[in-house]
Amino acid sequence: HFRMPSSIQGKGEGSLSVSVADTGVVEGAAKTIPVVLRHIDIYFFPEGGVLVPGLEGRVYFQARTSTGEPIDGLQADLRCISSGEVLEHVSSVHEGRGVFSFVPQEGKQYELQILKPAGVRPVPLPTAEGQGPGVCMRAGNFTVIDAEQPVSVNLLWNEP
């Protein structure tokens, strides 16, 4: 174990050096490692392009450090800002990417409350606005679709 400095300046890169001595021979290695600061970049990609109030929507996301490196193992809670209600637990699974589904409500704001890495500020989601179409694609229970697997696309519309 080692303790990180309480304050890190710059873009969030560190260098880790290791030396091993064995029977008089010393070998070393050094590697640049990303250090996640209090701010990370999360890009949201709602299925169909927008979040539509009252319609279930799948949201794909990509988490990156300030240097553009993917953040694998990100853990977060999707929560409603006004009520504090946690709607879903979210995680990145490959190269900082992940996906979650929820039904946004008119006039409510949502955010990802980052749990891991610790100490990162919450990241707001795009606002669900107005009325209109929503797209919902499904291929069984899979998020990865094989070339020969059928896909269903539901076009939904919310109206007052």
Side-chain angles (χ1 to χ4, degrees):
H1 293 281
F2 60 93
R3 184 173 299 276
M4 295 290 290
S6 60
S7 176
I8 298 174
Q9 301 298 321
K11 291 187 171 188
E13 286 185 339
S15 179
L16 178 64
S17 300
V18 178
S19 295
V20 178
D22 184 25
T23 62
V25 177
V26 178
E27 291 191 34
K31 181 161 176 84
T32 301
I33 56 171
V35 177
V36 178
L37 303 176
R38 288 187 48 82
H39 172 78
I40 61 176
D41 294 319
I42 298 185
Y43 303 96
F44 297 103
F45 307 98
E47 194 169 59
V50 294
L51 292 172
V52 181
L55 299 180
E56 180 181 7
R58 191 180 288 187
V59 179
Y60 298 86
F61 69 91
Q62 184 172 39
R64 300 269 179 190
T65 66
S66 58
T67 60
E69 295 295 316
I71 301 174
D72 283 331
L74 176 123
Q75 302 287 316
D77 284 336
L78 170 63
R79 69 180 203 103
C80 177
I81 294 173
S82 61
S83 70
E85 176 187 7
V86 173
L87 305 173
E88 187 172 337
H89 185 71
V90 174
S91 60
S92 63
V93 292
H94 179 67
E95 295 184 355
R97 294 185 295 248
V99 62
F100 59 90
S101 296
F102 79 113
V103 179
Q105 300 303 312
E106 182 84 42
K108 302 271 183 169
Q109 290 285 116
Y110 301 91
E111 68 183 6
L112 287 186
Q113 179 72 48
I114 310 300
L115 306 172
K116 180 182 174 189
V120 176
R121 294 182 186 104
V123 179
L125 269 69
T127 303
E129 297 178 9
Q131 63 184 39
V135 175
C136 186
M137 293 181 61
R138 296 291 182 263
N141 293 324
F142 304 102
T143 55
V144 177
I145 302 168
D146 292 328
E148 302 298 321
Q149 184 177 3
V151 175
S152 67
V153 177
N154 295 323
L155 182 59
L156 308 169
W157 189 276
N158 74 343
E159 292 186 86

Tab-separated table of all heavy atoms in Angstrom, residues 114-160:
chain	number	residue	atom	x	y	z
A	114	ILE	N	-21.122	9.211	-8.705
A	114	ILE	CA	-19.988	8.315	-8.888
A	114	ILE	C	-19.568	7.727	-7.549
A	114	ILE	O	-19.288	8.456	-6.596
A	114	ILE	CB	-18.796	9.047	-9.547
A	114	ILE	CG1	-19.248	9.816	-10.807
A	114	ILE	CG2	-17.679	8.062	-9.860
A	114	ILE	CD1	-19.855	8.974	-11.894
A	115	LEU	N	-19.531	6.400	-7.468
A	115	LEU	CA	-19.117	5.700	-6.259
A	115	LEU	C	-17.661	5.246	-6.350
A	115	LEU	O	-16.934	5.253	-5.366
A	115	LEU	CB	-20.016	4.482	-6.025
A	115	LEU	CG	-21.527	4.765	-5.988
A	115	LEU	CD1	-22.309	3.469	-5.941
A	115	LEU	CD2	-21.869	5.663	-4.818
A	116	LYS	N	-17.271	4.809	-7.543
A	116	LYS	CA	-15.911	4.353	-7.769
A	116	LYS	C	-15.487	4.805	-9.156
A	116	LYS	O	-16.188	4.502	-10.118
A	116	LYS	CB	-15.839	2.822	-7.676
A	116	LYS	CG	-14.463	2.255	-7.892
A	116	LYS	CD	-14.493	0.745	-7.826
A	116	LYS	CE	-13.120	0.202	-8.195
A	116	LYS	NZ	-13.141	-1.230	-8.345
A	117	PRO	N	-14.441	5.548	-9.291
A	117	PRO	CA	-13.480	5.966	-8.281
A	117	PRO	C	-14.097	6.973	-7.306
A	117	PRO	O	-14.987	7.738	-7.668
A	117	PRO	CB	-12.352	6.602	-9.083
A	117	PRO	CG	-12.952	6.967	-10.396
A	117	PRO	CD	-14.099	6.041	-10.623
A	118	ALA	N	-13.613	6.944	-6.077
A	118	ALA	CA	-14.151	7.781	-5.009
A	118	ALA	C	-13.751	9.242	-5.201
A	118	ALA	O	-12.737	9.553	-5.823
A	118	ALA	CB	-13.644	7.273	-3.662
A	119	GLY	N	-14.576	10.131	-4.671
A	119	GLY	CA	-14.249	11.547	-4.652
A	119	GLY	C	-14.558	12.304	-5.923
A	119	GLY	O	-14.195	13.470	-6.059
A	120	VAL	N	-15.262	11.680	-6.877
A	120	VAL	CA	-15.578	12.333	-8.147
A	120	VAL	C	-16.938	13.016	-8.028
A	120	VAL	O	-17.879	12.469	-7.461
A	120	VAL	CB	-15.581	11.303	-9.301
A	120	VAL	CG1	-15.995	11.950	-10.609
A	120	VAL	CG2	-14.217	10.650	-9.431
A	121	ARG	N	-17.016	14.209	-8.587
A	121	ARG	CA	-18.274	14.960	-8.556
A	121	ARG	C	-19.362	14.255	-9.364
A	121	ARG	O	-19.064	13.606	-10.362
A	121	ARG	CB	-18.051	16.344	-9.159
A	121	ARG	CG	-17.133	17.214	-8.347
A	121	ARG	CD	-16.995	18.592	-9.004
A	121	ARG	NE	-16.007	19.372	-8.306
A	121	ARG	CZ	-14.774	19.601	-8.759
A	121	ARG	NH1	-14.393	19.128	-9.918
A	121	ARG	NH2	-13.929	20.321	-8.052
A	122	PRO	N	-20.650	14.414	-8.979
A	122	PRO	CA	-21.752	13.853	-9.773
A	122	PRO	C	-21.766	14.447	-11.182
A	122	PRO	O	-21.348	15.582	-11.394
A	122	PRO	CB	-23.005	14.268	-9.000
A	122	PRO	CG	-22.536	14.587	-7.626
A	122	PRO	CD	-21.129	15.086	-7.764
A	123	VAL	N	-22.260	13.664	-12.134
A	123	VAL	CA	-22.303	14.086	-13.534
A	123	VAL	C	-23.772	14.108	-13.983
A	123	VAL	O	-24.447	13.078	-13.948
A	123	VAL	CB	-21.489	13.113	-14.421
A	123	VAL	CG1	-21.549	13.548	-15.870
A	123	VAL	CG2	-20.050	13.021	-13.933
A	124	PRO	N	-24.287	15.285	-14.395
A	124	PRO	CA	-25.698	15.366	-14.807
A	124	PRO	C	-25.950	14.701	-16.156
A	124	PRO	O	-25.095	14.723	-17.042
A	124	PRO	CB	-25.953	16.875	-14.887
A	124	PRO	CG	-24.611	17.481	-15.099
A	124	PRO	CD	-23.610	16.579	-14.441
A	125	LEU	N	-27.130	14.105	-16.293
A	125	LEU	CA	-27.573	13.534	-17.568
A	125	LEU	C	-28.243	14.621	-18.395
A	125	LEU	O	-28.689	15.632	-17.851
A	125	LEU	CB	-28.587	12.413	-17.331
A	125	LEU	CG	-28.042	11.004	-17.204
A	125	LEU	CD1	-27.266	10.816	-15.934
A	125	LEU	CD2	-29.157	10.014	-17.311
A	126	PRO	N	-28.364	14.394	-19.705
A	126	PRO	CA	-29.145	15.340	-20.522
A	126	PRO	C	-30.590	15.371	-20.014
A	126	PRO	O	-31.101	14.383	-19.495
A	126	PRO	CB	-29.099	14.730	-21.928
A	126	PRO	CG	-28.054	13.684	-21.908
A	126	PRO	CD	-27.840	13.287	-20.490
A	127	THR	N	-31.238	16.502	-20.180
A	127	THR	CA	-32.613	16.673	-19.721
A	127	THR	C	-33.591	16.043	-20.709
A	127	THR	O	-33.441	16.184	-21.920
A	127	THR	CB	-32.930	18.170	-19.582
A	127	THR	OG1	-31.985	18.759	-18.688
A	127	THR	CG2	-34.328	18.405	-19.054
A	128	ALA	N	-34.602	15.351	-20.173
A	128	ALA	CA	-35.693	14.820	-20.999
A	128	ALA	C	-36.683	15.954	-21.219
A	128	ALA	O	-37.133	16.576	-20.266
A	128	ALA	CB	-36.358	13.648	-20.294
A	129	GLU	N	-36.992	16.218	-22.470
A	129	GLU	CA	-37.823	17.376	-22.769
A	129	GLU	C	-38.995	17.048	-23.687
A	129	GLU	O	-38.856	16.239	-24.602
A	129	GLU	CB	-36.983	18.457	-23.443
A	129	GLU	CG	-35.884	18.996	-22.561
A	129	GLU	CD	-35.029	20.039	-23.260
A	129	GLU	OE1	-35.393	20.466	-24.371
A	129	GLU	OE2	-34.009	20.411	-22.684
A	130	GLY	N	-40.111	17.741	-23.423
A	130	GLY	CA	-41.260	17.755	-24.325
A	130	GLY	C	-41.877	16.417	-24.653
A	130	GLY	O	-41.842	15.478	-23.888
A	131	GLN	N	-42.429	16.383	-25.844
A	131	GLN	CA	-43.050	15.163	-26.318
A	131	GLN	C	-42.399	14.764	-27.622
A	131	GLN	O	-41.726	15.550	-28.258
A	131	GLN	CB	-44.548	15.360	-26.531
A	131	GLN	CG	-44.889	16.375	-27.604
A	131	GLN	CD	-46.370	16.592	-27.707
A	131	GLN	OE1	-47.054	16.628	-26.705
A	131	GLN	NE2	-46.866	16.726	-28.913
A	132	GLY	N	-42.600	13.541	-27.997
A	132	GLY	CA	-42.034	13.111	-29.260
A	132	GLY	C	-41.729	11.637	-29.282
A	132	GLY	O	-42.139	10.884	-28.404
A	133	PRO	N	-40.978	11.243	-30.297
A	133	PRO	CA	-40.705	9.825	-30.478
A	133	PRO	C	-39.558	9.341	-29.609
A	133	PRO	O	-38.664	10.090	-29.259
A	133	PRO	CB	-40.326	9.737	-31.967
A	133	PRO	CG	-39.729	11.065	-32.258
A	133	PRO	CD	-40.471	12.048	-31.395
A	134	GLY	N	-39.608	8.089	-29.277
A	134	GLY	CA	-38.510	7.407	-28.602
A	134	GLY	C	-38.259	6.094	-29.311
A	134	GLY	O	-39.175	5.470	-29.835
A	135	VAL	N	-37.015	5.702	-29.361
A	135	VAL	CA	-36.646	4.455	-30.020
A	135	VAL	C	-36.155	3.486	-28.961
A	135	VAL	O	-35.377	3.845	-28.088
A	135	VAL	CB	-35.537	4.683	-31.068
A	135	VAL	CG1	-35.071	3.368	-31.667
A	135	VAL	CG2	-36.039	5.608	-32.157
A	136	CYS	N	-36.629	2.249	-29.049
A	136	CYS	CA	-36.235	1.216	-28.108
A	136	CYS	C	-35.903	-0.039	-28.903
A	136	CYS	O	-36.783	-0.634	-29.508
A	136	CYS	CB	-37.383	0.960	-27.132
A	136	CYS	SG	-36.993	-0.171	-25.824
A	137	MET	N	-34.614	-0.396	-28.944
A	137	MET	CA	-34.188	-1.581	-29.699
A	137	MET	C	-33.943	-2.726	-28.737
A	137	MET	O	-33.324	-2.544	-27.706
A	137	MET	CB	-32.915	-1.292	-30.487
A	137	MET	CG	-33.123	-0.280	-31.599
A	137	MET	SD	-31.633	0.027	-32.530
A	137	MET	CE	-31.280	-1.575	-33.201
A	138	ARG	N	-34.395	-3.910	-29.112
A	138	ARG	CA	-34.202	-5.076	-28.268
A	138	ARG	C	-33.839	-6.274	-29.129
A	138	ARG	O	-34.356	-6.445	-30.223
A	138	ARG	CB	-35.460	-5.419	-27.470
A	138	ARG	CG	-35.870	-4.360	-26.479
A	138	ARG	CD	-34.881	-4.266	-25.330
A	138	ARG	NE	-35.284	-3.288	-24.354
A	138	ARG	CZ	-34.839	-2.041	-24.296
A	138	ARG	NH1	-33.981	-1.617	-25.192
A	138	ARG	NH2	-35.247	-1.216	-23.382
A	139	ALA	N	-32.959	-7.094	-28.592
A	139	ALA	CA	-32.583	-8.354	-29.227
A	139	ALA	C	-32.501	-9.386	-28.114
A	139	ALA	O	-31.432	-9.677	-27.606
A	139	ALA	CB	-31.258	-8.232	-29.954
A	140	GLY	N	-33.638	-9.861	-27.676
A	140	GLY	CA	-33.660	-10.772	-26.535
A	140	GLY	C	-33.168	-10.041	-25.304
A	140	GLY	O	-33.493	-8.900	-25.074
A	141	ASN	N	-32.335	-10.706	-24.512
A	141	ASN	CA	-31.767	-10.092	-23.320
A	141	ASN	C	-30.329	-9.652	-23.545
A	141	ASN	O	-29.591	-9.438	-22.597
A	141	ASN	CB	-31.825	-11.078	-22.143
A	141	ASN	CG	-33.247	-11.354	-21.738
A	141	ASN	OD1	-34.091	-10.471	-21.784
A	141	ASN	ND2	-33.523	-12.589	-21.359
A	142	PHE	N	-29.917	-9.509	-24.779
A	142	PHE	CA	-28.518	-9.254	-25.074
A	142	PHE	C	-28.280	-7.795	-25.426
A	142	PHE	O	-29.115	-7.159	-26.056
A	142	PHE	CB	-28.054	-10.140	-26.235
A	142	PHE	CG	-28.282	-11.599	-25.977
A	142	PHE	CD1	-29.342	-12.247	-26.568
A	142	PHE	CD2	-27.451	-12.300	-25.129
A	142	PHE	CE1	-29.567	-13.584	-26.324
A	142	PHE	CE2	-27.668	-13.632	-24.888
A	142	PHE	CZ	-28.730	-14.290	-25.481
A	143	THR	N	-27.129	-7.277	-25.035
A	143	THR	CA	-26.732	-5.947	-25.466
A	143	THR	C	-25.745	-6.034	-26.616
A	143	THR	O	-25.479	-5.057	-27.281
A	143	THR	CB	-26.103	-5.147	-24.309
A	143	THR	OG1	-25.018	-5.896	-23.776
A	143	THR	CG2	-27.130	-4.878	-23.233
A	144	VAL	N	-25.192	-7.223	-26.871
A	144	VAL	CA	-24.353	-7.472	-28.035
A	144	VAL	C	-25.167	-8.345	-28.978
A	144	VAL	O	-25.678	-9.387	-28.586
A	144	VAL	CB	-23.030	-8.173	-27.653
A	144	VAL	CG1	-22.212	-8.487	-28.891
A	144	VAL	CG2	-22.243	-7.316	-26.677
A	145	ILE	N	-25.280	-7.926	-30.211
A	145	ILE	CA	-26.151	-8.610	-31.155
A	145	ILE	C	-25.313	-9.353	-32.183
A	145	ILE	O	-24.445	-8.773	-32.828
A	145	ILE	CB	-27.081	-7.590	-31.851
A	145	ILE	CG1	-27.906	-6.840	-30.797
A	145	ILE	CG2	-27.966	-8.273	-32.869
A	145	ILE	CD1	-28.634	-5.637	-31.341
A	146	ASP	N	-25.579	-10.653	-32.318
A	146	ASP	CA	-24.895	-11.455	-33.332
A	146	ASP	C	-25.420	-11.081	-34.717
A	146	ASP	O	-26.543	-10.598	-34.874
A	146	ASP	CB	-25.127	-12.950	-33.091
A	146	ASP	CG	-24.442	-13.449	-31.830
A	146	ASP	OD1	-23.377	-12.904	-31.491
A	146	ASP	OD2	-24.984	-14.377	-31.204
A	147	ALA	N	-24.609	-11.369	-35.737
A	147	ALA	CA	-24.952	-11.006	-37.109
A	147	ALA	C	-26.280	-11.599	-37.563
A	147	ALA	O	-27.036	-10.972	-38.301
A	147	ALA	CB	-23.830	-11.428	-38.055
A	148	GLU	N	-26.607	-12.820	-37.151
A	148	GLU	CA	-27.824	-13.489	-37.606
A	148	GLU	C	-29.000	-13.348	-36.644
A	148	GLU	O	-30.063	-13.892	-36.882
A	148	GLU	CB	-27.531	-14.979	-37.833
A	148	GLU	CG	-26.421	-15.241	-38.839
A	148	GLU	CD	-26.768	-14.710	-40.233
A	148	GLU	OE1	-27.933	-14.830	-40.655
A	148	GLU	OE2	-25.863	-14.140	-40.867
A	149	GLN	N	-28.818	-12.637	-35.539
A	149	GLN	CA	-29.853	-12.525	-34.516
A	149	GLN	C	-30.898	-11.477	-34.902
A	149	GLN	O	-30.538	-10.371	-35.323
A	149	GLN	CB	-29.204	-12.141	-33.185
A	149	GLN	CG	-30.160	-12.092	-32.034
A	149	GLN	CD	-29.423	-11.784	-30.732
A	149	GLN	OE1	-28.227	-11.568	-30.724
A	149	GLN	NE2	-30.161	-11.772	-29.655
A	150	PRO	N	-32.191	-11.803	-34.787
A	150	PRO	CA	-33.219	-10.807	-35.110
A	150	PRO	C	-33.249	-9.679	-34.076
A	150	PRO	O	-32.977	-9.888	-32.902
A	150	PRO	CB	-34.526	-11.609	-35.082
A	150	PRO	CG	-34.221	-12.811	-34.285
A	150	PRO	CD	-32.749	-13.081	-34.406
A	151	VAL	N	-33.579	-8.504	-34.541
A	151	VAL	CA	-33.651	-7.316	-33.686
A	151	VAL	C	-35.036	-6.709	-33.845
A	151	VAL	O	-35.545	-6.592	-34.958
A	151	VAL	CB	-32.591	-6.271	-34.098
A	151	VAL	CG1	-32.738	-4.997	-33.295
A	151	VAL	CG2	-31.192	-6.843	-33.961
A	152	SER	N	-35.654	-6.324	-32.735
A	152	SER	CA	-36.925	-5.615	-32.831
A	152	SER	C	-36.690	-4.155	-32.459
A	152	SER	O	-35.933	-3.846	-31.550
A	152	SER	CB	-37.978	-6.241	-31.914
A	152	SER	OG	-37.634	-6.056	-30.560
A	153	VAL	N	-37.328	-3.287	-33.209
A	153	VAL	CA	-37.235	-1.857	-32.957
A	153	VAL	C	-38.635	-1.356	-32.679
A	153	VAL	O	-39.544	-1.531	-33.492
A	153	VAL	CB	-36.631	-1.112	-34.169
A	153	VAL	CG1	-36.612	0.395	-33.909
A	153	VAL	CG2	-35.245	-1.627	-34.489
A	154	ASN	N	-38.811	-0.741	-31.514
A	154	ASN	CA	-40.102	-0.168	-31.156
A	154	ASN	C	-40.002	1.341	-31.261
A	154	ASN	O	-39.113	1.950	-30.661
A	154	ASN	CB	-40.494	-0.549	-29.722
A	154	ASN	CG	-40.708	-2.028	-29.575
A	154	ASN	OD1	-41.228	-2.674	-30.474
A	154	ASN	ND2	-40.306	-2.582	-28.447
A	155	LEU	N	-40.882	1.943	-32.020
A	155	LEU	CA	-40.958	3.387	-32.097
A	155	LEU	C	-42.102	3.806	-31.191
A	155	LEU	O	-43.260	3.425	-31.412
A	155	LEU	CB	-41.201	3.840	-33.547
A	155	LEU	CG	-41.258	5.349	-33.751
A	155	LEU	CD1	-39.983	6.023	-33.303
A	155	LEU	CD2	-41.536	5.642	-35.216
A	156	LEU	N	-41.772	4.559	-30.163
A	156	LEU	CA	-42.766	4.970	-29.170
A	156	LEU	C	-42.998	6.467	-29.290
A	156	LEU	O	-42.142	7.212	-29.747
A	156	LEU	CB	-42.231	4.648	-27.769
A	156	LEU	CG	-41.744	3.203	-27.550
A	156	LEU	CD1	-41.009	3.100	-26.231
A	156	LEU	CD2	-42.913	2.251	-27.607
A	157	TRP	N	-44.164	6.911	-28.850
A	157	TRP	CA	-44.501	8.335	-28.901
A	157	TRP	C	-45.252	8.701	-27.644
A	157	TRP	O	-46.197	8.018	-27.259
A	157	TRP	CB	-45.375	8.614	-30.129
A	157	TRP	CG	-45.572	10.079	-30.374
A	157	TRP	CD1	-46.496	10.890	-29.795
A	157	TRP	CD2	-44.804	10.895	-31.245
A	157	TRP	NE1	-46.350	12.161	-30.260
A	157	TRP	CE2	-45.322	12.203	-31.156
A	157	TRP	CE3	-43.732	10.656	-32.088
A	157	TRP	CZ2	-44.809	13.268	-31.878
A	157	TRP	CZ3	-43.227	11.719	-32.815
A	157	TRP	CH2	-43.759	13.002	-32.703
A	158	ASN	N	-44.798	9.765	-26.981
A	158	ASN	CA	-45.549	10.227	-25.823
A	158	ASN	C	-46.368	11.451	-26.214
A	158	ASN	O	-45.879	12.354	-26.892
A	158	ASN	CB	-44.629	10.528	-24.634
A	158	ASN	CG	-43.840	11.811	-24.798
A	158	ASN	OD1	-43.717	12.330	-25.901
A	158	ASN	ND2	-43.298	12.314	-23.723
A	159	GLU	N	-47.620	11.444	-25.837
A	159	GLU	CA	-48.510	12.573	-26.139
A	159	GLU	C	-49.238	12.931	-24.863
A	159	GLU	O	-49.515	12.077	-24.032
A	159	GLU	CB	-49.533	12.172	-27.196
A	159	GLU	CG	-48.942	11.926	-28.563
A	159	GLU	CD	-50.025	11.682	-29.585
A	159	GLU	OE1	-50.524	12.681	-30.128
A	159	GLU	OE2	-50.353	10.520	-29.829
A	160	PRO	N	-49.571	14.210	-24.737
A	160	PRO	CA	-50.326	14.622	-23.533
A	160	PRO	C	-51.734	14.047	-23.541
A	160	PRO	O	-52.269	13.637	-24.519
A	160	PRO	CB	-50.350	16.141	-23.630
A	160	PRO	CG	-49.919	16.505	-25.007
A	160	PRO	CD	-49.274	15.297	-25.614
